[in-house]
Amino acid sequence: MNAHSQSLPPANTPLRAILSLDGTWQFRHETDGAWRQAKVPAHWQACFEDLAVSFGTATYRKDFTLLAEWNGREIAICFGAVSDFAIVSVNGTEIGRHEGGYLPFEFVIPAGLLKADNTIEVIASLPDGHRNEHDTDFAEIPHGKQSWYGPQGGIWQPVRLEARHKLHISSLRLDPIWPEGRLDLKASFAGAISGSLKLEVTDPEGTAVFSGTLPVAADTLSLSIQLDTTQPWSPDRPNVYSIKTTLVADGIEIDSRRENFGFRCFEAKDGFLLLNGAPLYLRAALDQDYYPDGFGAPPSLDLLEDQLRKAKVMGLNCLRCHIKVPDPRYYEVADRLGMLVWTEIPNIETFTPASAERLRKTMEGILARDRNHPSIVIWTLINEDWGTRLREAAEQRQWISGMVDWLRAEDPLRLVVDNSACFPNVHVKTDINDYHFYRTAVDRREEWDALCREFAGNADWTFSTEKEAVRSRNEPLILSEFGVWGLPDPARLRDESGRDPWWMAYGATWADGTALPQGMEARFRELGLGQVFGDVSGFIEQVQWYQYMNLKYEIEIIRTHAPIGGYVITEFTDVHWEGNGLMDMARNPRVFAQALPAVNSDIVIAPGAVRHAVYGGQTVAFDAKLSTGGATLPEGSHLVWELGMEKGEIRLPAIGPMQVHDIPVSVTTNSASACKISTAGFRIVGPDGRVLSENSETISLYGRRDARPSIRFASDDDTISERLTALGHVSVSPDQADVFVTHDIDGERVESIHSGQRVLQIVAKEPGRLRDDLAPRDGPMSVAIDPGSGGMISGPYFSFPGYNLVNRHKSIWRGDWVGNFSWLRRDGVFAHIPGAPLFDLSFTGVVPHQVIAGFRPWEFQGRVHSGVVIGWVHKPAAFIIEKRLGRGKLVASTFRLHEETPDVDPLATALYDGLLALTTKR
């Protein structure tokens, strides 16, 4: 029996009594020799550290005493959810089986089995990759992110006994139709009954707005209720109605049920989303619905309410509950406090007829439990083609198309996404054209800009071109995943005894090992990063502001494209090792939480600085744009801007929703004797004086270079010579030069360094060693010095300078998903470059496309002046290194300093100045 009960249990009333079985159960995993005690509800992995990543089968037992007043009533045992396969027995007799780890089920206990004192046994199984006795494995069951963050098995939602009339109300389907004010209702009963159903509808204030009684003569009753006026539900005004149904037989009330609902209309029209007939700009975050203990069962209603309030403060109006069916309280809180929810079926890994049927049954169960929640507005069937191969298999494209048609017909009050896509997978048939792409703005700014521009143009790469595809080109465009890593503060995640969370030991198998949290503070110390950032907490704070800088820029670019109707930030909270949340797993907001609404609101100013670094006295140009989102800018509003001592005001026309309005601004900066960071402020002020939106942009202002001494240099490259001459330096012969500047080094140059020459290498070469003059040869046991005929390649250490050159593209250093935290020491010869150590947007024109790798940790404490770490402080590499040899010195840098004509980019020049000073420094 797989009967799905609805979201929340009925009230404990004389008509339906409840006995909670939550609490302590006897527990034994298949690997246990003895029984122990487990908490219910909770995944068994959350109860026992030794089982934290275990699959398999576990047995739960609990005794209960049957209440005397329950005699003569139907007794059912009701489970919120058990992962994944459950066999339920009472007093040694099996009463039912259930498959599916996310949804409720119940079994009626035969009266003959019950005694005064009873024992319930639940055998819960979560399969791994082996085929089990049920002819399935983990790949063929809906499992969601368990494939990333570990298995979750057992009784993880509440368990209760329920005493009720045999002919009770089994479900209520509510379809509130707005703006008509009609409530379509279908009541289902446990069996055919002759009697009546009393109805009472109350409005959000608790006032009865409808009451009536209808005859019942079957096992279902369908009707429509027309209300004179209705208050629509929205995130800003979460107007929740309630309906109480009471079943009457032979003049006696035998059962009652209460359900909440809301009137709202969510639709796609003319390329945009509409809520209650008005344009809606979607400002969402991906919520993987994991909690502080590292698992998916929420610890309390208070936490659910707290995190949703924090979401609203940050400007979010939607959570995309990611490939997981959450605890039903999640939706109840969203209904009551006001938050749109985008819900998805947990994915499979292998598509077979059996797994396809499980996906269908899971969606049916979601509808049965959750369809009455007004907060849910979008369903997704597949995420990123996980478990399917829509790009390759025509049969699967036909399947997904049929699923979309079925779900649209089954639930016409919500939108349906077939496959929430990322490259190279695609849509086949969908109500929303959503897509995922990740870039770090500092490292891949041009790519981000191009992707957003192409996506806004309804790019061909989002849809299948096969015959099964159906595309109107009028589907709303939603960038449904993007984001940037920050890091949580480990100190705020430890327990009272100072222990790390259990999940910090995991993650080494992801992202080339950079996702392992454990040991982060030790690696920070080993690399001497305290010399750059201060202590670990200072590093974490800067990393979180770096996350915000990237998110801010990326959202601003999204908002400059009017056809894009919303986005989903990855993600709401960190999950285990994945450190890109707006909060950590303990629900501590990032340091930028209060700043986020500047870009995460309806009306947003995108400053659009053409350059983020200028010389004092130059003009700063802003390609500013105003995006209205779902709001309207009233006539008489104006933009107020200021930068330094300069201020200005621009009157704006009335601007309708979902529009982007150009507001170019040019500001001449004051001359600067010293380099500094200056902030440009922008405010939209309404006709009544209220500030409707405000934002800012940081600009690096550079002082004059007149005081910098010229350097005598020599070079073997004309381009280098021309640039350095243009910067005021003097070209001389190598024997007269203070520094020799080159793109490459060879054996002769290494010998000159040994003899006392100072060499600056502006690296411009193919990856490999920093020098290419050594011919490949075999060594003992076929170890080759360079790629060639040998069986193994020796490390670069044995040929000066002893480092490798690696392209960031197609490597973990690329900067797309796992965070690349790139830094420049702002002391010594680089003290004149303003800002904090982590790169800001002024670096996008010079940011290196290659890293220098192969260092010992100690070398970061002196030899490395600019570098990068990945994720949880892994894969350290350099952009600027200093290494002495004999009486000379080599300084090598991968910064791209020749991208523009000399002295156009002040940062490129400032870096050149610092590199020359470093090379000549004794």
Side-chain angles (χ1 to χ4, degrees), residues 372-388:
N372 293 343
H373 292 285
S375 55
I376 304 173
V377 292
I378 304 169
W379 302 120
T380 288
L381 297 170
I382 298 293
N383 174 70
E384 292 185 348
D385 215 5
W386 291 2
T388 52

Side-chain angles (χ1 to χ4, degrees), residues 739-754:
V739 58
F740 188 89
V741 188
T742 183
H743 286 311
D744 205 353
I745 59 174
D746 55 18
E748 181 180 350
R749 189 60 54 203
V750 170
E751 184 60 35
S752 68
I753 295 171
H754 194 276

Side-chain angles (χ1 to χ4, degrees), residues 43 112 189 191 327 458 521 532 544 562 583 669 793 799 818 912:
H43 298 98
F189 312 110
D327 184 295
N458 235 330
E521 291 151 304
V532 181
Q544 292 186 10
M583 299 188 288
T669 61
I793 300 174
S799 54
V818 176
Y912 239 132

Side-chain angles (χ1 to χ4, degrees), residues 847-861:
V847 69
H849 287 176
Q850 295 176 311
V851 298
I852 305 169
F855 293 87
R856 272 63 168 175
W858 68 266
E859 295 183 90
F860 281 83
Q861 303 188 50

